[in-house]
Each structure stands twice: as C-alpha cells, then as structure tokens.
Amino acid sequence: MKVEIERLDDFGRGIGYIENKICFIENALPEEVVLINIKKTKNKYIEAIATKHLKTSSLRIKNICPYFLKCGGCDLSHINYLEENSYKEEKVKNLLKKFSNLNPNIVNKIQFDQENFYRNKIVLHGKNKKLGLYEKESNDIVEIKKCFLINNKINEIIKEIQKTNINITEVLIRTSNDEKFSIVKIIGEVKEISQLRNLVDVLIINDKLLSKNDKIITTIADKKYSLSATSFFQVNKTLTKKLYDIALNEVKKMKPHRLLDLYCGTGTIGIYVSKYCHEIIGIDYNESNINDALKNKELNKLDNIKFICDKVENRILDFMNIDFIIVDPPRAGLDQITINNLLRINAKTITYISCNPITLIRDINILANNYKINNITPFNMFPRTHHVECVCVLNRK
C-alpha cells in the first residue's frame, strides 16, 4: 500500500492517510512516498512501518546506527540533526497552541549540542548470553556492540563486559561528565573480571562491592557531585550546564532569601544556584537521592542548604514566605496539592523544569492564574529520540 507522508507526529513517526484514516508510520519523513506494512488497525488510526521508499525526503540522512528500527533506543537518527531540533521546537509550539491559550512566541530557540556520544549512563539487559537493549515493543534483546548515544568510555566498558558475560541479566554503566571515572553494576553470572576491575572505578556484582570506592565524582561548572550507581543525575554530559544556567540566571537577578527546590533529586540544581541564595530547602521522596544530596552538600562545603526526605505533596503545606521555587517533577508533572500550594505560597518566581511538555503545559495553564508565563526554552537533552526537555520561567503577576 502506497502512502504520502505529510508531517511528523509527536513521537517522530510519519503521518499519512489511508481512506481518510490517520496512519502513523515508522521510518517515514515528510514529503516521502512509502510502501507500508500495517502493524495495528484501530477504529480511529492505523500504525505501520515503511518497507520501501518510493520518494525520499531531502531531510533524510544515512543512518549510522546498525540497530535503528530494531532497538527502542532512538527513533530520529534518520533525520538531519538541524531539522530534528527545528521539529522539537515546533512540537512545543504546537502543543501550546493545542492545549493552551498561551502565545507560542513565548517559546525560545531550542538549545542543543552534540548529537552523538552525549549520554553518561546506560542500562543494558541480558538473556541467553545476549546483552543489549530491548527490541521495540518487546522483551527480546537486540545485542549491542556499540551505541552512538553513549560516550566513548561506556562503549569501551561494554566491550569488556561482553567478554565476561556468562549469564548477565542487567548492567548499569555510568561515568562522570569528563569520562575520567566510571561505575558498573552487574546482575547475573560473570567469568574472569580482572580487566574489568582495572577499567572501572566502582564495580558492583550481585549487590557485592568489589572495589575500594562505591561512588565517583562528577562536575558541573565549579560544583562537584558524588554519584552512586542509583543516583539521579542528568544523562546529557554536554547540555546540563546550559539548562541549569537558566535557573541560575533567574536566581542571580533576585538573590532570594528563601528558595524551595522541589523534586530536588541529589540536590544538583539547588547546589548549583546556592551562591546567590540565603537559604535553600530541597525536598525529594527518594532516600538514596537525599543521602547523595547530603554528601554533595558536604562536598561543596555549603551551610545554606538543607534537604527533606518526603513526598513533595506531604511537605509543601509547611511552607510560606518563599521567594523563589524550582520544580523538576517526573513525567506525570505536578499533582493538584502541589499546584494549589504553589499558588498559595505565591513566590515571586517559579522555574519549572520538565521532561514532558504536555504535562508542563497542563500545569502552567493553572499557574497562569497567578503568574505570567515569561518564556519556555526547549532543550534537546536526548538527541536522536523524540523527547524534548523544557525550562519554563514564571513571574508573579
């Protein structure tokens, strides 16, 4: 069946029409004409994959990844990188038009950096002596020899782990942003690991620590951060500083007396802006994150920041007289209790960091009762995938 592609959807799939029914097509770009294999038919839509390209888009590039269309790691590695960035910027604007009355001109130019080898962390899965990433919509393993999203140090470590694999079921690998230090956590059966011991700084196998240290140190600008295997930390080694700088610049302008850092993780953003605040309170429900945050506080020799281990919605009721609030919630966005209390506290500025523009827009629609939505800056923190991160600055009316 022949289909002409009109545009991309929010997940990077081509959109065409079959007898006036919308069709979402993998590996298809605007202006292409493709033959398709239908994967799923529903009442309102069809899902398919392009099997042959009768007309090829000028946006298409030669894909360098041998696992494209197999693993679920990336879905935009067939499109020109500048066009990928334009697509993500337009996606945020289109979502604003669709789900709000806000002017799409509040969306700034997208921020981006290198397109490949940017990730400082990966989790691989194993089965039947194969180690790699899950196949799309499946638990089958696509064996990975080299991934173009992760940094060179991690690819080097993967090669060594492949040699030790007897029956590994899961591997977590992470490095410092400068790739000098690394952590490997393995679940499963391995053989001789002497070379692996020499290659990595922290080695954990089946929850047993086999190295002297259980943490590594990474940096963002002049701040140091302690990372364990389970620490929450931004995975883009090149762009995180630019993202945090938006919050930093707003804090610099105000020099707030009290700043509330909600969903603070390991305290990274609060610590990053700490020089310009009198007092910072970070809240996160994850005990491991808070333990790391306390270590990061010591590492940076700070005495103006404290951390609370609890759910944000449980503790936000306790606060008033806050000048500045930073929120960095999970993909589900803010719950109603938190939104109600943000409106009650009525801080002068809120900086909202979001990994899901749909829930961001939902939440700022409500916050717009008290706040002017000053701007939204998209960040391409996950190149070659359809994901886009945003930072939104809200100023009290």
Side-chain angles (χ1 to χ4, degrees):
M1 188 176 295
K2 186 167 72 173
V3 182
E4 184 173 349
I5 308 304
E6 297 186 7
R7 61 191 187 279
L8 293 179
D9 76 350
D10 291 341
F11 301 97
R13 300 174 298 183
I15 290 180
Y17 291 87
I18 299 173
E19 297 177 354
N20 295 321
K21 183 183 282 191
I22 193 166
C23 185
F24 303 107
I25 304 167
E26 292 179 43
N27 191 25
L29 296 175
E31 301 177 2
E32 291 189 331
V33 178
V34 298
L35 296 179
I36 64 167
N37 178 26
I38 293 176
K39 296 165 61 179
K40 190 183 295 182
T41 301
K42 297 287 187 179
N43 289 336
K44 294 185 178 180
Y45 65 90
I46 297 167
E47 292 183 359
I49 186 167
T51 56
K52 187 175 182 180
H53 294 76
L54 304 177
K55 180 184 175 185
T56 303
S57 170
S58 61
L59 306 177
R60 183 174 286 276
I61 60 171
K62 185 178 180 181
N63 182 46
I64 60 174
C65 177
Y67 315 113
F68 180 59
L69 296 180
K70 295 178 183 177
C71 91
C74 53
D75 37 35
L76 287 177
S77 61
H78 58 315
I79 191 171
N80 175 287
Y81 186 49
L82 291 179
E83 188 61 33
E84 175 192 322
N85 287 295
S86 296
Y87 154 73
K88 291 182 177 182
E89 185 180 311
E90 285 303 309
K91 178 163 78 168
V92 176
K93 290 180 179 179
N94 291 334
L95 288 169
L96 269 179
K97 292 175 190 174
K98 185 175 181 180
F99 295 114
S100 81
N101 294 319
L102 296 167
N103 188 335
N105 290 335
I106 65 172
V107 178
N108 292 328
K109 286 288 184 185
I110 191 166
Q111 299 293 303
F112 59 93
D113 206 305
Q114 65 190 63
E115 61 186 291
N116 294 312
F117 308 116
Y118 61 87
R119 286 187 65 101
N120 57 30
K121 178 186 173 184
I122 194 170
V123 176
L124 300 177
H125 305 279
K127 190 194 301 183
N128 300 327
K129 295 190 177 181
K130 287 171 67 177
L131 191 63
L133 298 168
Y134 284 131
E135 189 177 323
K136 283 185 178 179
E137 300 173 8
S138 167
N139 284 329
D140 292 337
I141 302 295
V142 178
E143 191 169 19
I144 300 294
K145 302 294 185 185
K146 178 181 181 178
C147 175
F148 287 89
L149 301 189
I150 55 179
N151 65 43
N152 291 320
K153 177 72 171 181
I154 297 178
N155 275 312
E156 182 187 355
I157 292 169
I158 288 173
K159 282 184 185 177
E160 194 57 47
I161 291 174
Q162 296 280 16
K163 297 175 188 176
T164 74
N165 185 11
I166 295 176
N167 185 24
I168 295 175
T169 57
E170 185 176 282
V171 178
L172 180 150
I173 311 168
R174 78 185 317 160
T175 69
S176 55
N177 282 337
D178 60 8
E179 301 180 36
K180 288 182 179 178
F181 306 107
S182 56
I183 297 174
V184 170
K185 182 180 180 182
I186 297 173
I187 299 173
E189 191 178 356
V190 295
K191 52 187 175 184
E192 173 59 41
I193 58 166
S194 57
Q195 285 297 107
L196 187 59
R197 277 179 184 266
N198 293 331
L199 186 59
V200 305
D201 301 279
V202 176
L203 180 60
I204 304 166
I205 299 179
N206 297 321
D207 293 325
K208 183 178 180 181
L209 182 65
L210 301 178
S211 52
K212 182 180 178 181
N213 299 313
D214 64 348
K215 290 179 174 57
I216 59 173
I217 302 297
T218 193
T219 58
I220 303 174
D222 62 341
K223 295 296 186 287
K224 298 177 183 178
Y225 300 96
S226 172
L227 291 180
S228 64
T230 57
S231 296
F232 173 80
F233 202 80
Q234 288 280 1
V235 300
N236 190 309
K237 67 175 185 176
T238 64
L239 205 53
T240 298
K241 180 183 180 298
K242 282 187 179 180
L243 187 145
Y244 287 2
D245 278 345
I246 291 187
L248 178 66
N249 290 335
E250 293 298 320
V251 169
K252 271 185 181 180
K253 289 178 197 173
M254 183 190 295
K255 295 184 173 58
H257 186 76
R258 296 184 84 206
L259 183 147
L260 197 54
D261 182 10
L262 304 180
Y263 314 94
C264 68
T266 55
T268 47
I269 303 175
I271 288 169
Y272 192 72
V273 304
S274 58
K275 181 179 177 181
Y276 302 96
C277 305
H278 178 75
E279 180 188 6
I280 300 169
I281 305 109
I283 305 175
D284 195 279
Y285 78 96
N286 185 291
E287 187 176 352
S288 176
N289 282 345
I290 293 298
N291 287 337
D292 283 336
L294 292 169
K295 290 183 177 69
N296 292 332
K297 173 183 174 177
E298 293 175 12
L299 198 58
N300 290 280
K301 299 177 181 176
L302 300 176
D303 58 9
N304 64 338
I305 188 165
K306 67 178 182 179
F307 297 102
I308 298 169
C309 186
D310 203 346
K311 290 183 177 179
V312 167
E313 59 266 33
N314 291 345
R315 299 305 292 267
I316 194 169
L317 302 164
D318 301 340
F319 293 97
M320 55 191 300
N321 299 324
I322 299 291
D323 306 302
F324 199 112
I325 298 176
I326 296 172
V327 296
D328 187 3
R331 290 189 64 79
L334 302 172
D335 63 274
Q336 196 59 52
I337 292 173
T338 301
I339 289 178
N340 290 345
N341 279 277
L342 290 179
L343 293 170
R344 175 189 61 79
I345 293 169
N346 208 25
K348 290 179 183 177
T349 300
I350 297 174
T351 300
Y352 189 145
I353 298 168
S354 170
C355 58
N356 185 350
I358 292 177
T359 54
L360 168 68
I361 293 164
R362 179 201 68 197
D363 294 343
I364 64 176
N365 278 336
I366 303 170
L367 293 170
N369 292 325
N370 283 30
Y371 287 87
K372 178 191 174 189
I373 313 304
N374 196 26
N375 57 67
I376 298 173
T377 306
F379 279 80
N380 194 356
M381 300 293 283
F382 306 98
R384 318 323 268 148
T385 79
H386 67 270
H387 298 290
V388 58
E389 193 128 343
C390 294
V391 182
C392 179
V393 177
L394 303 90
N395 296 123
R396 187 174 69 199
K397 289 179 180 176

PDB file of all heavy atoms in Angstrom, residues 205 235 270 291:
ATOM      1  N   ILE A 205      28.848  -6.358  41.746  1.00  0.00           N
ATOM      2  CA  ILE A 205      28.279  -7.542  41.087  1.00  0.00           C
ATOM      3  C   ILE A 205      27.363  -8.247  42.069  1.00  0.00           C
ATOM      4  O   ILE A 205      27.779  -8.630  43.165  1.00  0.00           O
ATOM      5  CB  ILE A 205      29.381  -8.496  40.586  1.00  0.00           C
ATOM      6  CG1 ILE A 205      30.260  -7.778  39.551  1.00  0.00           C
ATOM      7  CG2 ILE A 205      28.765  -9.756  39.971  1.00  0.00           C
ATOM      8  CD1 ILE A 205      31.395  -8.616  39.006  1.00  0.00           C
ATOM      9  N   VAL A 235      21.534  12.879  32.232  1.00  0.00           N
ATOM     10  CA  VAL A 235      22.396  11.978  31.454  1.00  0.00           C
ATOM     11  C   VAL A 235      23.141  12.685  30.330  1.00  0.00           C
ATOM     12  O   VAL A 235      24.099  12.136  29.776  1.00  0.00           O
ATOM     13  CB  VAL A 235      21.599  10.791  30.860  1.00  0.00           C
ATOM     14  CG1 VAL A 235      20.962   9.973  31.963  1.00  0.00           C
ATOM     15  CG2 VAL A 235      20.574  11.266  29.840  1.00  0.00           C
ATOM     16  N   GLY A 270      19.797  22.958  43.290  1.00  0.00           N
ATOM     17  CA  GLY A 270      19.893  23.798  44.480  1.00  0.00           C
ATOM     18  C   GLY A 270      21.336  24.146  44.806  1.00  0.00           C
ATOM     19  O   GLY A 270      21.659  25.293  45.132  1.00  0.00           O
ATOM     20  N   ASN A 291      20.356  11.028  50.558  1.00  0.00           N
ATOM     21  CA  ASN A 291      21.686  10.684  51.101  1.00  0.00           C
ATOM     22  C   ASN A 291      22.802  11.248  50.219  1.00  0.00           C
ATOM     23  O   ASN A 291      23.799  11.784  50.715  1.00  0.00           O
ATOM     24  CB  ASN A 291      21.824   9.165  51.219  1.00  0.00           C
ATOM     25  CG  ASN A 291      21.003   8.599  52.354  1.00  0.00           C
ATOM     26  OD1 ASN A 291      20.663   9.320  53.299  1.00  0.00           O
ATOM     27  ND2 ASN A 291      20.664   7.325  52.282  1.00  0.00           N
TER      28      ASN A 291
END
